[in-house]
Amino acid sequence: MFSSMSNNVLINTYFSAVKLKLDEDFIILLEEEISRRGIQLDKVERMV
């Protein structure tokens, strides 16, 4: 579903979804794709 998104767009979408308190299932889907790509959110958060 999110495979065509760049990592940067995926991360920005995730943080925006959390900030806007969007549907939890949508956020979980984003988290699963982030995990599948091997991106560590805790490291990304420190960089933002």
Side-chain angles (χ1 to χ4, degrees):
M1 175 190 259
F2 301 110
S3 60
S4 63
M5 295 175 91
S6 70
N7 288 349
N8 192 35
V9 171
L10 178 63
I11 295 299
N12 287 335
T13 302
Y14 170 77
F15 284 122
S16 294
V18 170
K19 182 179 179 180
L20 295 170
K21 299 178 182 173
L22 298 184
D23 185 75
E24 186 176 342
D25 289 336
F26 177 65
I27 293 172
I28 290 170
L29 286 174
L30 292 169
E31 289 173 342
E32 289 172 352
E33 179 63 18
I34 289 167
S35 177
R36 188 187 70 73
R37 294 184 189 195
I39 300 169
Q40 295 178 345
L41 281 175
D42 59 330
K43 290 183 179 179
V44 172
E45 278 184 298
R46 285 181 265 160
M47 295 169 55
V48 175

